[in-house]
mmCIF file with all atom_site columns, all heavy atoms in Angstrom:
data_model
loop_
_atom_site.group_PDB
_atom_site.id
_atom_site.type_symbol
_atom_site.label_atom_id
_atom_site.label_alt_id
_atom_site.label_comp_id
_atom_site.label_asym_id
_atom_site.label_entity_id
_atom_site.label_seq_id
_atom_site.pdbx_PDB_ins_code
_atom_site.Cartn_x
_atom_site.Cartn_y
_atom_site.Cartn_z
_atom_site.occupancy
_atom_site.B_iso_or_equiv
_atom_site.pdbx_formal_charge
_atom_site.auth_seq_id
_atom_site.auth_comp_id
_atom_site.auth_asym_id
_atom_site.auth_atom_id
_atom_site.pdbx_PDB_model_num
ATOM 1   N N   . LEU A 1 118 ? -24.789 0.169  24.022 1.00 0.00 ? 237 LEU A N   1
ATOM 2   C CA  . LEU A 1 118 ? -25.951 0.926  24.481 1.00 0.00 ? 237 LEU A CA  1
ATOM 3   C C   . LEU A 1 118 ? -25.929 2.352  23.930 1.00 0.00 ? 237 LEU A C   1
ATOM 4   O O   . LEU A 1 118 ? -26.979 2.927  23.616 1.00 0.00 ? 237 LEU A O   1
ATOM 5   C CB  . LEU A 1 118 ? -25.994 0.939  26.006 1.00 0.00 ? 237 LEU A CB  1
ATOM 6   C CG  . LEU A 1 118 ? -26.248 -0.457 26.606 1.00 0.00 ? 237 LEU A CG  1
ATOM 7   C CD1 . LEU A 1 118 ? -26.084 -0.430 28.119 1.00 0.00 ? 237 LEU A CD1 1
ATOM 8   C CD2 . LEU A 1 118 ? -27.632 -0.965 26.229 1.00 0.00 ? 237 LEU A CD2 1
ATOM 9   N N   . ALA A 1 119 ? -24.704 2.911  23.788 1.00 0.00 ? 238 ALA A N   1
ATOM 10  C CA  . ALA A 1 119 ? -24.600 4.259  23.219 1.00 0.00 ? 238 ALA A CA  1
ATOM 11  C C   . ALA A 1 119 ? -25.118 4.260  21.788 1.00 0.00 ? 238 ALA A C   1
ATOM 12  O O   . ALA A 1 119 ? -25.900 5.135  21.391 1.00 0.00 ? 238 ALA A O   1
ATOM 13  C CB  . ALA A 1 119 ? -23.144 4.729  23.262 1.00 0.00 ? 238 ALA A CB  1
ATOM 14  N N   . ALA A 1 121 ? -27.158 2.106  20.447 1.00 0.00 ? 240 ALA A N   1
ATOM 15  C CA  . ALA A 1 121 ? -28.608 1.867  20.458 1.00 0.00 ? 240 ALA A CA  1
ATOM 16  C C   . ALA A 1 121 ? -29.361 3.146  20.796 1.00 0.00 ? 240 ALA A C   1
ATOM 17  O O   . ALA A 1 121 ? -30.403 3.447  20.201 1.00 0.00 ? 240 ALA A O   1
ATOM 18  C CB  . ALA A 1 121 ? -28.939 0.767  21.462 1.00 0.00 ? 240 ALA A CB  1
ATOM 19  N N   . ALA A 1 122 ? -28.800 3.922  21.727 1.00 0.00 ? 241 ALA A N   1
ATOM 20  C CA  . ALA A 1 122 ? -29.471 5.160  22.123 1.00 0.00 ? 241 ALA A CA  1
ATOM 21  C C   . ALA A 1 122 ? -29.519 6.145  20.964 1.00 0.00 ? 241 ALA A C   1
ATOM 22  O O   . ALA A 1 122 ? -30.525 6.840  20.763 1.00 0.00 ? 241 ALA A O   1
ATOM 23  C CB  . ALA A 1 122 ? -28.751 5.785  23.318 1.00 0.00 ? 241 ALA A CB  1
ATOM 24  N N   . VAL A 1 123 ? -28.424 6.219  20.185 1.00 0.00 ? 242 VAL A N   1
ATOM 25  C CA  . VAL A 1 123 ? -28.432 7.143  19.045 1.00 0.00 ? 242 VAL A CA  1
ATOM 26  C C   . VAL A 1 123 ? -29.410 6.652  17.984 1.00 0.00 ? 242 VAL A C   1
ATOM 27  O O   . VAL A 1 123 ? -30.143 7.430  17.374 1.00 0.00 ? 242 VAL A O   1
ATOM 28  C CB  . VAL A 1 123 ? -27.015 7.286  18.455 1.00 0.00 ? 242 VAL A CB  1
ATOM 29  C CG1 . VAL A 1 123 ? -27.036 8.206  17.240 1.00 0.00 ? 242 VAL A CG1 1
ATOM 30  C CG2 . VAL A 1 123 ? -26.061 7.827  19.490 1.00 0.00 ? 242 VAL A CG2 1
ATOM 31  N N   . GLU A 1 124 ? -29.438 5.323  17.795 1.00 0.00 ? 243 GLU A N   1
ATOM 32  C CA  . GLU A 1 124 ? -30.324 4.765  16.769 1.00 0.00 ? 243 GLU A CA  1
ATOM 33  C C   . GLU A 1 124 ? -31.784 5.025  17.071 1.00 0.00 ? 243 GLU A C   1
ATOM 34  O O   . GLU A 1 124 ? -32.583 5.269  16.173 1.00 0.00 ? 243 GLU A O   1
ATOM 35  C CB  . GLU A 1 124 ? -30.095 3.248  16.638 1.00 0.00 ? 243 GLU A CB  1
ATOM 36  C CG  . GLU A 1 124 ? -28.945 2.905  15.703 1.00 0.00 ? 243 GLU A CG  1
ATOM 37  C CD  . GLU A 1 124 ? -28.549 1.444  15.775 1.00 0.00 ? 243 GLU A CD  1
ATOM 38  O OE1 . GLU A 1 124 ? -28.936 0.770  16.753 1.00 0.00 ? 243 GLU A OE1 1
ATOM 39  O OE2 . GLU A 1 124 ? -27.838 0.995  14.874 1.00 0.00 ? 243 GLU A OE2 1
ATOM 40  N N   . THR A 1 125 ? -32.155 4.925  18.349 1.00 0.00 ? 244 THR A N   1
ATOM 41  C CA  . THR A 1 125 ? -33.576 5.057  18.705 1.00 0.00 ? 244 THR A CA  1
ATOM 42  C C   . THR A 1 125 ? -33.936 6.485  19.075 1.00 0.00 ? 244 THR A C   1
ATOM 43  O O   . THR A 1 125 ? -35.066 6.738  19.500 1.00 0.00 ? 244 THR A O   1
ATOM 44  C CB  . THR A 1 125 ? -33.916 4.144  19.894 1.00 0.00 ? 244 THR A CB  1
ATOM 45  O OG1 . THR A 1 125 ? -33.018 4.455  20.962 1.00 0.00 ? 244 THR A OG1 1
ATOM 46  C CG2 . THR A 1 125 ? -33.802 2.692  19.517 1.00 0.00 ? 244 THR A CG2 1
ATOM 47  N N   . LYS A 1 126 ? -32.990 7.397  18.906 1.00 0.00 ? 245 LYS A N   1
ATOM 48  C CA  . LYS A 1 126 ? -33.298 8.773  19.292 1.00 0.00 ? 245 LYS A CA  1
ATOM 49  C C   . LYS A 1 126 ? -34.468 9.307  18.470 1.00 0.00 ? 245 LYS A C   1
ATOM 50  O O   . LYS A 1 126 ? -34.588 9.047  17.280 1.00 0.00 ? 245 LYS A O   1
ATOM 51  C CB  . LYS A 1 126 ? -32.076 9.659  19.106 1.00 0.00 ? 245 LYS A CB  1
ATOM 52  C CG  . LYS A 1 126 ? -32.210 10.959 19.878 1.00 0.00 ? 245 LYS A CG  1
ATOM 53  C CD  . LYS A 1 126 ? -30.889 11.645 20.047 1.00 0.00 ? 245 LYS A CD  1
ATOM 54  C CE  . LYS A 1 126 ? -30.007 10.961 21.082 1.00 0.00 ? 245 LYS A CE  1
ATOM 55  N NZ  . LYS A 1 126 ? -28.757 11.703 21.247 1.00 0.00 ? 245 LYS A NZ  1
ATOM 56  N N   . GLY A 1 127 ? -35.330 10.033 19.110 1.00 0.00 ? 246 GLY A N   1
ATOM 57  C CA  . GLY A 1 127 ? -36.502 10.539 18.394 1.00 0.00 ? 246 GLY A CA  1
ATOM 58  C C   . GLY A 1 127 ? -37.730 9.695  18.639 1.00 0.00 ? 246 GLY A C   1
ATOM 59  O O   . GLY A 1 127 ? -38.851 10.154 18.486 1.00 0.00 ? 246 GLY A O   1
ATOM 60  N N   . THR A 1 128 ? -37.485 8.417  19.025 1.00 0.00 ? 247 THR A N   1
ATOM 61  C CA  . THR A 1 128 ? -38.635 7.577  19.378 1.00 0.00 ? 247 THR A CA  1
ATOM 62  C C   . THR A 1 128 ? -39.103 8.006  20.765 1.00 0.00 ? 247 THR A C   1
ATOM 63  O O   . THR A 1 128 ? -38.298 8.019  21.700 1.00 0.00 ? 247 THR A O   1
ATOM 64  C CB  . THR A 1 128 ? -38.220 6.098  19.449 1.00 0.00 ? 247 THR A CB  1
ATOM 65  O OG1 . THR A 1 128 ? -37.147 5.896  18.566 1.00 0.00 ? 247 THR A OG1 1
ATOM 66  C CG2 . THR A 1 128 ? -39.362 5.180  19.140 1.00 0.00 ? 247 THR A CG2 1
ATOM 67  N N   . PRO A 1 129 ? -40.376 8.350  20.902 1.00 0.00 ? 248 PRO A N   1
ATOM 68  C CA  . PRO A 1 129 ? -40.832 8.787  22.233 1.00 0.00 ? 248 PRO A CA  1
ATOM 69  C C   . PRO A 1 129 ? -40.767 7.639  23.240 1.00 0.00 ? 248 PRO A C   1
ATOM 70  O O   . PRO A 1 129 ? -40.976 6.471  22.888 1.00 0.00 ? 248 PRO A O   1
ATOM 71  C CB  . PRO A 1 129 ? -42.272 9.239  21.986 1.00 0.00 ? 248 PRO A CB  1
ATOM 72  C CG  . PRO A 1 129 ? -42.660 8.655  20.675 1.00 0.00 ? 248 PRO A CG  1
ATOM 73  C CD  . PRO A 1 129 ? -41.412 8.405  19.894 1.00 0.00 ? 248 PRO A CD  1
ATOM 74  N N   . LEU A 1 130 ? -40.422 7.961  24.482 1.00 0.00 ? 249 LEU A N   1
ATOM 75  C CA  . LEU A 1 130 ? -40.362 6.935  25.534 1.00 0.00 ? 249 LEU A CA  1
ATOM 76  C C   . LEU A 1 130 ? -41.771 6.420  25.811 1.00 0.00 ? 249 LEU A C   1
ATOM 77  O O   . LEU A 1 130 ? -42.738 7.183  25.718 1.00 0.00 ? 249 LEU A O   1
ATOM 78  C CB  . LEU A 1 130 ? -39.782 7.546  26.810 1.00 0.00 ? 249 LEU A CB  1
ATOM 79  C CG  . LEU A 1 130 ? -38.276 7.817  26.779 1.00 0.00 ? 249 LEU A CG  1
ATOM 80  C CD1 . LEU A 1 130 ? -37.862 8.557  28.045 1.00 0.00 ? 249 LEU A CD1 1
ATOM 81  C CD2 . LEU A 1 130 ? -37.507 6.529  26.639 1.00 0.00 ? 249 LEU A CD2 1
ATOM 82  N N   . PRO A 1 131 ? -41.908 5.131  26.138 1.00 0.00 ? 250 PRO A N   1
ATOM 83  C CA  . PRO A 1 131 ? -43.244 4.605  26.459 1.00 0.00 ? 250 PRO A CA  1
ATOM 84  C C   . PRO A 1 131 ? -43.787 5.280  27.713 1.00 0.00 ? 250 PRO A C   1
ATOM 85  O O   . PRO A 1 131 ? -43.016 5.757  28.552 1.00 0.00 ? 250 PRO A O   1
ATOM 86  C CB  . PRO A 1 131 ? -42.986 3.115  26.699 1.00 0.00 ? 250 PRO A CB  1
ATOM 87  C CG  . PRO A 1 131 ? -41.521 3.012  26.998 1.00 0.00 ? 250 PRO A CG  1
ATOM 88  C CD  . PRO A 1 131 ? -40.861 4.116  26.238 1.00 0.00 ? 250 PRO A CD  1
ATOM 89  N N   . TRP A 1 136 ? -36.650 5.756  35.407 1.00 0.00 ? 255 TRP A N   1
ATOM 90  C CA  . TRP A 1 136 ? -35.340 6.396  35.265 1.00 0.00 ? 255 TRP A CA  1
ATOM 91  C C   . TRP A 1 136 ? -34.430 5.531  34.391 1.00 0.00 ? 255 TRP A C   1
ATOM 92  O O   . TRP A 1 136 ? -33.607 6.021  33.645 1.00 0.00 ? 255 TRP A O   1
ATOM 93  C CB  . TRP A 1 136 ? -34.709 6.638  36.630 1.00 0.00 ? 255 TRP A CB  1
ATOM 94  C CG  . TRP A 1 136 ? -34.402 5.342  37.377 1.00 0.00 ? 255 TRP A CG  1
ATOM 95  C CD1 . TRP A 1 136 ? -35.242 4.676  38.202 1.00 0.00 ? 255 TRP A CD1 1
ATOM 96  C CD2 . TRP A 1 136 ? -33.193 4.582  37.300 1.00 0.00 ? 255 TRP A CD2 1
ATOM 97  N NE1 . TRP A 1 136 ? -34.646 3.539  38.658 1.00 0.00 ? 255 TRP A NE1 1
ATOM 98  C CE2 . TRP A 1 136 ? -33.380 3.459  38.133 1.00 0.00 ? 255 TRP A CE2 1
ATOM 99  C CE3 . TRP A 1 136 ? -31.971 4.758  36.651 1.00 0.00 ? 255 TRP A CE3 1
ATOM 100 C CZ2 . TRP A 1 136 ? -32.385 2.483  38.296 1.00 0.00 ? 255 TRP A CZ2 1
ATOM 101 C CZ3 . TRP A 1 136 ? -30.976 3.805  36.818 1.00 0.00 ? 255 TRP A CZ3 1
ATOM 102 C CH2 . TRP A 1 136 ? -31.196 2.659  37.635 1.00 0.00 ? 255 TRP A CH2 1
ATOM 103 N N   . TRP A 1 137 ? -34.620 4.208  34.469 1.00 0.00 ? 256 TRP A N   1
ATOM 104 C CA  . TRP A 1 137 ? -33.745 3.317  33.708 1.00 0.00 ? 256 TRP A CA  1
ATOM 105 C C   . TRP A 1 137 ? -33.993 3.464  32.210 1.00 0.00 ? 256 TRP A C   1
ATOM 106 O O   . TRP A 1 137 ? -33.057 3.470  31.409 1.00 0.00 ? 256 TRP A O   1
ATOM 107 C CB  . TRP A 1 137 ? -33.956 1.876  34.175 1.00 0.00 ? 256 TRP A CB  1
ATOM 108 C CG  . TRP A 1 137 ? -33.149 0.878  33.399 1.00 0.00 ? 256 TRP A CG  1
ATOM 109 C CD1 . TRP A 1 137 ? -33.633 -0.163 32.675 1.00 0.00 ? 256 TRP A CD1 1
ATOM 110 C CD2 . TRP A 1 137 ? -31.729 0.824  33.286 1.00 0.00 ? 256 TRP A CD2 1
ATOM 111 N NE1 . TRP A 1 137 ? -32.600 -0.862 32.112 1.00 0.00 ? 256 TRP A NE1 1
ATOM 112 C CE2 . TRP A 1 137 ? -31.412 -0.277 32.465 1.00 0.00 ? 256 TRP A CE2 1
ATOM 113 C CE3 . TRP A 1 137 ? -30.674 1.609  33.789 1.00 0.00 ? 256 TRP A CE3 1
ATOM 114 C CZ2 . TRP A 1 137 ? -30.096 -0.627 32.131 1.00 0.00 ? 256 TRP A CZ2 1
ATOM 115 C CZ3 . TRP A 1 137 ? -29.368 1.260  33.457 1.00 0.00 ? 256 TRP A CZ3 1
ATOM 116 C CH2 . TRP A 1 137 ? -29.087 0.161  32.646 1.00 0.00 ? 256 TRP A CH2 1
ATOM 117 N N   . ASP A 1 138 ? -35.260 3.608  31.810 1.00 0.00 ? 257 ASP A N   1
ATOM 118 C CA  . ASP A 1 138 ? -35.561 3.803  30.400 1.00 0.00 ? 257 ASP A CA  1
ATOM 119 C C   . ASP A 1 138 ? -34.971 5.115  29.905 1.00 0.00 ? 257 ASP A C   1
ATOM 120 O O   . ASP A 1 138 ? -34.456 5.184  28.797 1.00 0.00 ? 257 ASP A O   1
ATOM 121 C CB  . ASP A 1 138 ? -37.085 3.804  30.176 1.00 0.00 ? 257 ASP A CB  1
ATOM 122 C CG  . ASP A 1 138 ? -37.688 2.449  30.516 1.00 0.00 ? 257 ASP A CG  1
ATOM 123 O OD1 . ASP A 1 138 ? -37.428 1.511  29.763 1.00 0.00 ? 257 ASP A OD1 1
ATOM 124 O OD2 . ASP A 1 138 ? -38.380 2.356  31.547 1.00 0.00 ? 257 ASP A OD2 1
ATOM 125 N N   . ARG A 1 139 ? -35.083 6.142  30.759 1.00 0.00 ? 258 ARG A N   1
ATOM 126 C CA  . ARG A 1 139 ? -34.520 7.437  30.358 1.00 0.00 ? 258 ARG A CA  1
ATOM 127 C C   . ARG A 1 139 ? -33.013 7.342  30.240 1.00 0.00 ? 258 ARG A C   1
ATOM 128 O O   . ARG A 1 139 ? -32.406 7.925  29.362 1.00 0.00 ? 258 ARG A O   1
ATOM 129 C CB  . ARG A 1 139 ? -34.924 8.521  31.366 1.00 0.00 ? 258 ARG A CB  1
ATOM 130 C CG  . ARG A 1 139 ? -36.298 9.112  31.068 1.00 0.00 ? 258 ARG A CG  1
ATOM 131 C CD  . ARG A 1 139 ? -36.519 10.414 31.818 1.00 0.00 ? 258 ARG A CD  1
ATOM 132 N NE  . ARG A 1 139 ? -36.439 10.254 33.277 1.00 0.00 ? 258 ARG A NE  1
ATOM 133 C CZ  . ARG A 1 139 ? -37.436 9.782  34.029 1.00 0.00 ? 258 ARG A CZ  1
ATOM 134 N NH1 . ARG A 1 139 ? -38.565 9.435  33.455 1.00 0.00 ? 258 ARG A NH1 1
ATOM 135 N NH2 . ARG A 1 139 ? -37.284 9.655  35.327 1.00 0.00 ? 258 ARG A NH2 1
ATOM 136 N N   . CYS A 1 140 ? -32.440 6.587  31.162 1.00 0.00 ? 259 CYS A N   1
ATOM 137 C CA  . CYS A 1 140 ? -30.988 6.415  31.140 1.00 0.00 ? 259 CYS A CA  1
ATOM 138 C C   . CYS A 1 140 ? -30.568 5.677  29.866 1.00 0.00 ? 259 CYS A C   1
ATOM 139 O O   . CYS A 1 140 ? -29.633 6.074  29.175 1.00 0.00 ? 259 CYS A O   1
ATOM 140 C CB  . CYS A 1 140 ? -30.581 5.638  32.391 1.00 0.00 ? 259 CYS A CB  1
ATOM 141 S SG  . CYS A 1 140 ? -28.831 5.327  32.477 1.00 0.00 ? 259 CYS A SG  1
ATOM 142 N N   . LEU A 1 141 ? -31.310 4.618  29.540 1.00 0.00 ? 260 LEU A N   1
ATOM 143 C CA  . LEU A 1 141 ? -30.991 3.838  28.334 1.00 0.00 ? 260 LEU A CA  1
ATOM 144 C C   . LEU A 1 141 ? -31.068 4.693  27.083 1.00 0.00 ? 260 LEU A C   1
ATOM 145 O O   . LEU A 1 141 ? -30.350 4.479  26.124 1.00 0.00 ? 260 LEU A O   1
ATOM 146 C CB  . LEU A 1 141 ? -31.967 2.671  28.197 1.00 0.00 ? 260 LEU A CB  1
ATOM 147 C CG  . LEU A 1 141 ? -31.613 1.378  28.909 1.00 0.00 ? 260 LEU A CG  1
ATOM 148 C CD1 . LEU A 1 141 ? -32.655 0.333  28.612 1.00 0.00 ? 260 LEU A CD1 1
ATOM 149 C CD2 . LEU A 1 141 ? -30.226 0.885  28.526 1.00 0.00 ? 260 LEU A CD2 1
ATOM 150 N N   . ALA A 1 142 ? -31.965 5.676  27.119 1.00 0.00 ? 261 ALA A N   1
ATOM 151 C CA  . ALA A 1 142 ? -32.169 6.486  25.925 1.00 0.00 ? 261 ALA A CA  1
ATOM 152 C C   . ALA A 1 142 ? -31.157 7.618  25.810 1.00 0.00 ? 261 ALA A C   1
ATOM 153 O O   . ALA A 1 142 ? -31.154 8.352  24.832 1.00 0.00 ? 261 ALA A O   1
ATOM 154 C CB  . ALA A 1 142 ? -33.584 7.062  25.932 1.00 0.00 ? 261 ALA A CB  1
ATOM 155 N N   . SER A 1 143 ? -30.294 7.758  26.798 1.00 0.00 ? 262 SER A N   1
ATOM 156 C CA  . SER A 1 143 ? -29.363 8.890  26.784 1.00 0.00 ? 262 SER A CA  1
ATOM 157 C C   . SER A 1 143 ? -28.042 8.495  26.130 1.00 0.00 ? 262 SER A C   1
ATOM 158 O O   . SER A 1 143 ? -27.210 7.811  26.717 1.00 0.00 ? 262 SER A O   1
ATOM 159 C CB  . SER A 1 143 ? -29.119 9.375  28.222 1.00 0.00 ? 262 SER A CB  1
ATOM 160 O OG  . SER A 1 143 ? -27.978 10.206 28.237 1.00 0.00 ? 262 SER A OG  1
ATOM 161 N N   . SER A 1 144 ? -27.832 8.941  24.897 1.00 0.00 ? 263 SER A N   1
ATOM 162 C CA  . SER A 1 144 ? -26.568 8.620  24.220 1.00 0.00 ? 263 SER A CA  1
ATOM 163 C C   . SER A 1 144 ? -25.398 9.316  24.902 1.00 0.00 ? 263 SER A C   1
ATOM 164 O O   . SER A 1 144 ? -24.302 8.785  24.974 1.00 0.00 ? 263 SER A O   1
ATOM 165 C CB  . SER A 1 144 ? -26.645 9.019  22.759 1.00 0.00 ? 263 SER A CB  1
ATOM 166 O OG  . SER A 1 144 ? -27.024 10.371 22.646 1.00 0.00 ? 263 SER A OG  1
ATOM 167 N N   . LYS A 1 145 ? -25.671 10.525 25.435 1.00 0.00 ? 264 LYS A N   1
ATOM 168 C CA  . LYS A 1 145 ? -24.581 11.245 26.118 1.00 0.00 ? 264 LYS A CA  1
ATOM 169 C C   . LYS A 1 145 ? -24.042 10.419 27.277 1.00 0.00 ? 264 LYS A C   1
ATOM 170 O O   . LYS A 1 145 ? -22.837 10.272 27.454 1.00 0.00 ? 264 LYS A O   1
ATOM 171 C CB  . LYS A 1 145 ? -25.097 12.575 26.663 1.00 0.00 ? 264 LYS A CB  1
ATOM 172 C CG  . LYS A 1 145 ? -25.362 13.617 25.613 1.00 0.00 ? 264 LYS A CG  1
ATOM 173 C CD  . LYS A 1 145 ? -25.654 14.946 26.278 1.00 0.00 ? 264 LYS A CD  1
ATOM 174 C CE  . LYS A 1 145 ? -26.548 15.822 25.451 1.00 0.00 ? 264 LYS A CE  1
ATOM 175 N NZ  . LYS A 1 145 ? -27.940 15.390 25.303 1.00 0.00 ? 264 LYS A NZ  1
ATOM 176 N N   . PHE A 1 146 ? -24.987 9.864  28.061 1.00 0.00 ? 265 PHE A N   1
ATOM 177 C CA  . PHE A 1 146 ? -24.575 9.097  29.230 1.00 0.00 ? 265 PHE A CA  1
ATOM 178 C C   . PHE A 1 146 ? -23.692 7.926  28.816 1.00 0.00 ? 265 PHE A C   1
ATOM 179 O O   . PHE A 1 146 ? -22.625 7.697  29.377 1.00 0.00 ? 265 PHE A O   1
ATOM 180 C CB  . PHE A 1 146 ? -25.812 8.593  29.993 1.00 0.00 ? 265 PHE A CB  1
ATOM 181 C CG  . PHE A 1 146 ? -25.468 7.694  31.146 1.00 0.00 ? 265 PHE A CG  1
ATOM 182 C CD1 . PHE A 1 146 ? -25.054 8.233  32.356 1.00 0.00 ? 265 PHE A CD1 1
ATOM 183 C CD2 . PHE A 1 146 ? -25.534 6.307  31.016 1.00 0.00 ? 265 PHE A CD2 1
ATOM 184 C CE1 . PHE A 1 146 ? -24.720 7.410  33.423 1.00 0.00 ? 265 PHE A CE1 1
ATOM 185 C CE2 . PHE A 1 146 ? -25.185 5.483  32.073 1.00 0.00 ? 265 PHE A CE2 1
ATOM 186 C CZ  . PHE A 1 146 ? -24.787 6.034  33.278 1.00 0.00 ? 265 PHE A CZ  1
ATOM 187 N N   . TRP A 1 147 ? -24.113 7.180  27.813 1.00 0.00 ? 266 TRP A N   1
ATOM 188 C CA  . TRP A 1 147 ? -23.381 5.958  27.457 1.00 0.00 ? 266 TRP A CA  1
ATOM 189 C C   . TRP A 1 147 ? -22.080 6.252  26.742 1.00 0.00 ? 266 TRP A C   1
ATOM 190 O O   . TRP A 1 147 ? -21.093 5.525  26.906 1.00 0.00 ? 266 TRP A O   1
ATOM 191 C CB  . TRP A 1 147 ? -24.266 5.020  26.620 1.00 0.00 ? 266 TRP A CB  1
ATOM 192 C CG  . TRP A 1 147 ? -25.397 4.468  27.445 1.00 0.00 ? 266 TRP A CG  1
ATOM 193 C CD1 . TRP A 1 147 ? -26.714 4.748  27.315 1.00 0.00 ? 266 TRP A CD1 1
ATOM 194 C CD2 . TRP A 1 147 ? -25.280 3.580  28.569 1.00 0.00 ? 266 TRP A CD2 1
ATOM 195 N NE1 . TRP A 1 147 ? -27.448 4.093  28.265 1.00 0.00 ? 266 TRP A NE1 1
ATOM 196 C CE2 . TRP A 1 147 ? -26.591 3.360  29.063 1.00 0.00 ? 266 TRP A CE2 1
ATOM 197 C CE3 . TRP A 1 147 ? -24.205 2.952  29.217 1.00 0.00 ? 266 TRP A CE3 1
ATOM 198 C CZ2 . TRP A 1 147 ? -26.862 2.536  30.148 1.00 0.00 ? 266 TRP A CZ2 1
ATOM 199 C CZ3 . TRP A 1 147 ? -24.469 2.129  30.300 1.00 0.00 ? 266 TRP A CZ3 1
ATOM 200 C CH2 . TRP A 1 147 ? -25.775 1.939  30.758 1.00 0.00 ? 266 TRP A CH2 1
ATOM 201 N N   . ASP A 1 210 ? -22.485 15.505 20.593 1.00 0.00 ? 329 ASP A N   1
ATOM 202 C CA  . ASP A 1 210 ? -23.810 15.167 21.138 1.00 0.00 ? 329 ASP A CA  1
ATOM 203 C C   . ASP A 1 210 ? -24.321 16.291 22.043 1.00 0.00 ? 329 ASP A C   1
ATOM 204 O O   . ASP A 1 210 ? -25.490 16.666 21.988 1.00 0.00 ? 329 ASP A O   1
ATOM 205 C CB  . ASP A 1 210 ? -23.713 13.851 21.914 1.00 0.00 ? 329 ASP A CB  1
ATOM 206 C CG  . ASP A 1 210 ? -25.066 13.156 21.999 1.00 0.00 ? 329 ASP A CG  1
ATOM 207 O OD1 . ASP A 1 210 ? -26.031 13.683 21.406 1.00 0.00 ? 329 ASP A OD1 1
ATOM 208 O OD2 . ASP A 1 210 ? -25.147 12.092 22.632 1.00 0.00 ? 329 ASP A OD2 1
#
Side-chain angles (χ1 to χ4, degrees):
Chain A
L237 294 172
V242 178
E243 275 169 343
T244 55
K245 198 163 286 182
T247 331
L249 286 174
W255 64 271
W256 177 240
D257 296 290
R258 275 196 300 280
C259 179
L260 273 182
S262 165
S263 54
K264 287 189 208 69
F265 175 80
W266 292 111
D329 204 3

